[in-house]
Amino acid sequence: HQEVPYGFKVDAFLHAQEEGYELAFWLDSSCILVNELPWDELEDRGYWLHAEGWTVGQWINEEARGILNLTREQAGKMTLMEGKIIGLDLTHPIGRDFLREWKHYRDEGAFNGSWEDHRHDITVGGVLSHRMSLELNHNAVVIGPPGSPTTSSTIVLAAGL
């Protein structure tokens, strides 16, 4: 984690794929499930990703911009992907392509950098979701302590870090 921040998320999906799983969700350990995971939507679309609320431009370092071949202006127009809940259909072309590209850019060093100016896996995920024209979900993540108000569209309450 110190050498490749959040690279283990890619490894978790790859391990699930190697074990023969078709559908997989990543949930951060801080997440409390408050409604069912959207398995049907994941299977239909090949992915289930959520918007984070920032732009990639606000959370990408210079090294990653170079690896991803992005200008500052381009990055500023891309939505940062939420990292607390990520779903991939490991048999669907979109899910497989996302995972392959996510791994590629992790291995090229685009996850690397300080937490002060870079968001590692979700920065790269935001770029990939933009390039692949993937729709990001909204309103499914609430950040707050246990017992925080949620709605029928809330899937997880991120109650930790």
Side-chain angles (χ1 to χ4, degrees), residues 15 17 27-28 36 44 49 82 116 125 136 148 150 153:
H15 181 73
Q17 190 176 50
L27 294 175
D28 275 1
E36 289 189 32
D44 289 345
L49 305 173
E82 175 65 70
E116 293 178 16
L136 300 179
S148 294
T150 61
S153 65

Side-chain angles (χ1 to χ4, degrees), residues 22-78:
E22 296 180 3
L23 304 174
F25 270 98
W26 169 272
L27 294 175
D28 275 1
S29 62
S30 67
C31 291
I32 299 167
L33 198 59
V34 296
N35 279 308
E36 289 189 32
L37 291 170
W39 295 106
D40 291 341
E41 188 177 342
L42 171 59
E43 195 168 15
D44 289 345
R45 291 169 43 185
Y47 68 96
W48 194 95
L49 305 173
H50 196 276
E52 216 282 342
W54 301 91
T55 68
V56 168
Q58 291 170 292
W59 292 108
I60 188 170
N61 62 27
E62 295 300 314
E63 181 181 355
R65 271 196 325 101
I67 293 167
L68 291 158
N69 195 28
L70 284 177
T71 66
R72 202 177 288 279
E73 182 178 283
Q74 290 169 322
K77 294 177 182 175
M78 297 177 182

Side-chain angles (χ1 to χ4, degrees), residues 7 24 40 45 83 108 137 161:
D40 291 341
R45 291 169 43 185
E108 290 295 312
N137 294 285
L161 308 174

Side-chain angles (χ1 to χ4, degrees), residues 32 34-35 141-143 145 147-158:
I32 299 167
V34 296
N35 279 308
V141 176
V142 171
I143 299 173
S148 294
T150 61
T151 68
S152 61
S153 65
T154 305
I155 296 172
V156 296
L157 172 62

